[in-house]
Amino acid sequence: MSKRIHEDEYMSSDIWKYNLDPPEYKRGSRHNKIGMWIMFIFYGIITVQVIHAMLVLPFFPIPFAILLGLGFICYVAWRAT
């Protein structure tokens, strides 16, 4: 037995009545450059944390398994492109 939700319950917002175009993001805009800086800083922090974890963990198979998993992820991403 399935319950059906009437369309008025989830389509009652006024925003659906207007056919608005999505905002245009231009390549090289200030918004794009700030976003890229934030993304690369985030990638750098994650890379430093992974390297630090590899140096701090004393038990060899754990870092080896983590590096093996990261290598596999990189391989899959490389083959997907």
Side-chain angles (χ1 to χ4, degrees):
M1 183 166 122
S2 65
K3 295 183 179 182
R4 305 212 37 120
I5 300 173
H6 195 269
E7 187 178 311
D8 291 338
E9 291 184 34
Y10 62 90
M11 294 293 282
S12 62
S13 176
D14 290 338
I15 195 69
W16 296 107
K17 295 177 183 175
Y18 307 112
N19 188 11
L20 299 175
D21 293 331
E24 292 185 23
Y25 290 104
K26 295 186 169 88
R27 186 176 184 185
S29 67
R30 183 185 313 138
H31 184 269
N32 193 357
K33 288 179 183 177
I34 292 170
M36 294 295 283
W37 269 101
I38 292 170
M39 181 184 70
F40 284 124
I41 289 170
F42 174 76
Y43 286 165
I45 290 171
I46 297 301
T47 303
V48 168
Q49 286 181 344
V50 168
I51 292 170
H52 181 260
M54 295 300 117
L55 296 174
V56 169
L57 292 174
F59 190 55
F60 177 70
I62 294 173
F64 179 73
I66 293 172
L67 286 175
L68 192 65
L70 288 173
F72 180 69
I73 290 170
C74 291
Y75 173 76
V76 168
W78 173 64
R79 294 302 292 171
T81 59

